[in-house]
């Protein structure tokens, strides 16, 4: 199964002045939270599988955004990105149990490990480097422990739980789908132990990461995904990559994207690139596209059908 998840915009967009003849009466009433909610709604209508509420220090709070999506959406999955410093693993698990019950199991976790030490320090989190990986391992171990066992006891370097665990009505729901990333030995060890989906960047060696995960976690299926930016070329486009850029492009940061590597092309061209990754075992695509609201419809109306068509051709060819 192929999964396409759209990264939501949660930070303020650049101001677009209305000129001297008009006044924007909305003031601060229309902000990134409204744009995020309109975008997830577009993603749901367009048939995407899910949205990611990113851990952006300058953006809206991801759990609040994800909860809004899950509460109002019908089928769209919501992935909340957060660092382990967000809360204790017991509280994060309890919060998630309530959301899973309300949303019928549509919540995912993207656990952000490491990152810019200065940004983490500004958030009051002094844990970095190998300690950040060890803490993430304990965080996920404890969260899954209290989710599945009662009584649950754990004593580690970062967390201590005595006689924990959930009963009714929190118990019995599926644990959130866990997305992790990275290519260092420590990051791969963490994914081998805890990830449902391991996310790569465009250009990473898919085969090598597949082999490393299989070696570290024999018998445990960890799905592969890719985080990338995309720009679907269309008539009248004036805010995308420079004219002449096509195929793989590492310049998306110049357009304000968080993920600098990505693909530029027609729906058929992008679908062919994603299909090539899919044939190598990648089943999840976490995409960033701007403007996100318009691109959500474009992805659903043009890219997904092209991707589905290639999948049908592959099935027919295998018969």
């Amino acid at each position: 199964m192929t999964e396409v998840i759209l990264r939501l915009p949660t930070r303020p967009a650049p101001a677009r002045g209305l000129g001297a003849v008009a006044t924007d009466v909305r003031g601060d009433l229309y902000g990134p939270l409204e744009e995020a909610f309109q975008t997830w709604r577009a993603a749901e209508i367009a048939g995407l599988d899910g949205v990611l509420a990113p851990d952006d220090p300058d953006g809206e709070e991801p759990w609040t955004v994800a909860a809004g999506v899950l509460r109002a959406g019908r089928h769209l999955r919501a992935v909340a990105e957060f660092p382990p410093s967000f809360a204790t693993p017991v509280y994060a698990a309890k919060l998630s149990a309530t959301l899973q019950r309300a949303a019928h199991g549509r919540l995912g976790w993207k656990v952000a490990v490491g990152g810019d030490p200065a940004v983490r320090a500004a958030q009051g989190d002094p844990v970095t480097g190998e300690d950040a990986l060890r803490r993430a391992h304990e965080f996920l171990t404890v969260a899954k422990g209290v989710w599945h066992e009662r009584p649950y006891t754990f004593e580690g370097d970062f967390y201590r739980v005595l006689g924990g665990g959930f009963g009714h009505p929190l118990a019995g729901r599926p644990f959130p789908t866990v997305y992790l990333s990275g290519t260092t030995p420590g990051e791969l060890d963490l994914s081998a132990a805890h990830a449902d989906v391991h996310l790569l960047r465009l250009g990473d060696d898919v085969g090598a990461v597949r082999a490393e995960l299989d070696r570290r976690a024999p018998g445990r299926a960890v799905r592969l995904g890719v985080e990338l930016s995309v720009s679907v070329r269309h008539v009248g486009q004036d805010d995308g990559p420079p004219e002449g850029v096509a195929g793989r492009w590492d310049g998306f940061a110049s357009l304000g994207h968080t993920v600098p590597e990505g693909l530029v092309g027609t729906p058929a061209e992008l679908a062919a690139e994603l299909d090539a990754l899919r044939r190598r075992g990648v089943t999840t695509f976490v995409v960033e596209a701007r403007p996100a609201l318009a691109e959500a419809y474009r992805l659903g109306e043009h890219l997904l059908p092209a991707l589905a068509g290639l999948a049908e051709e592959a099935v027919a060819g295998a018969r």
Side-chain angles (χ1 to χ4, degrees):
M1 180 190 75
T2 303
E3 177 183 43
V4 178
I5 296 173
L6 178 65
R7 186 184 185 95
L8 290 176
T10 59
R11 67 169 60 179
R16 301 179 179 179
L18 297 181
V21 297
T23 300
D24 188 348
V25 298
R26 299 171 302 176
D28 293 333
L29 295 177
Y30 185 85
L33 196 58
E34 285 72 24
E35 184 181 3
F37 285 166
Q38 286 196 20
T39 300
W40 79 252
R41 183 62 175 151
E44 182 163 79
I45 292 172
L48 302 186
D49 298 285
V51 292
L52 168 71
D55 172 35
D56 184 338
D58 296 319
E60 300 282 5
E61 202 283 316
W63 282 94
T64 303
V65 174
V69 172
L70 294 172
R71 181 68 182 89
R74 296 181 180 178
H75 66 80
L76 202 68
R77 295 193 287 278
V79 180
E81 183 180 33
F82 63 96
S85 59
F86 158 74
T88 69
V90 177
Y91 186 80
K94 182 173 183 178
L95 173 62
S96 299
T98 296
L99 287 174
Q100 287 291 68
R101 187 161 59 90
H104 305 289
R106 291 183 286 127
L107 175 67
W109 284 9
K110 186 173 185 291
V111 181
V113 183
D116 186 340
V119 172
R120 294 297 181 217
Q123 297 171 334
D125 181 7
V127 181
T128 60
E130 291 299 315
D131 284 344
L133 283 168
R134 292 195 303 114
R135 181 181 63 178
H137 179 76
E138 287 193 11
F139 183 94
L140 288 162
T141 299
V142 171
K144 292 179 178 179
V146 296
W147 192 282
H148 295 296
E149 300 178 33
R150 189 182 192 188
Y152 176 76
T153 294
F154 178 89
E155 295 197 46
D157 295 331
F158 299 92
Y159 305 106
R160 183 169 182 253
V161 179
L162 302 176
F166 299 152
H168 179 77
L170 300 176
R173 303 290 170 180
F175 193 82
T177 302
V178 176
Y179 298 79
L180 294 168
S181 62
T183 55
T184 69
E187 290 167 333
L188 291 170
D189 284 340
L190 184 65
S191 279
H194 294 290
D196 297 298
V197 181
H198 182 83
L199 297 173
L200 303 167
R201 287 297 180 95
L202 199 64
D204 285 345
D205 190 332
V206 175
V209 171
R210 174 78 278 162
E212 285 298 317
L213 289 173
D214 289 345
R215 183 176 67 80
R216 286 170 161 81
R220 182 173 180 273
V222 179
R223 305 194 301 275
L224 290 181
V226 170
E227 286 186 287
L228 73 162
S229 288
V230 297
S231 179
V232 182
R233 289 292 195 192
H234 57 92
V235 176
Q237 184 178 24
D238 58 2
D239 53 0
E243 189 173 348
V245 170
R248 297 197 176 195
W249 187 53
D250 294 339
F252 278 96
S254 65
L255 303 178
H257 286 225
T258 305
V259 182
E261 311 92 359
L263 299 171
V264 182
T266 66
E269 291 168 343
L270 297 186
E273 292 277 2
L274 298 185
D275 187 59
L277 289 167
R278 186 166 57 184
R279 291 170 185 266
R280 299 176 64 190
V282 175
T283 57
T284 294
F285 299 100
V286 180
V287 301
E288 182 174 10
R290 298 189 179 195
L293 176 56
E295 290 298 309
Y297 286 115
R298 195 164 288 116
L299 293 172
E301 292 172 358
H302 301 289
L303 179 60
L304 293 189
L307 197 56
L310 291 175
E312 292 173 0
E313 289 178 11
V315 171
R319 289 173 181 163

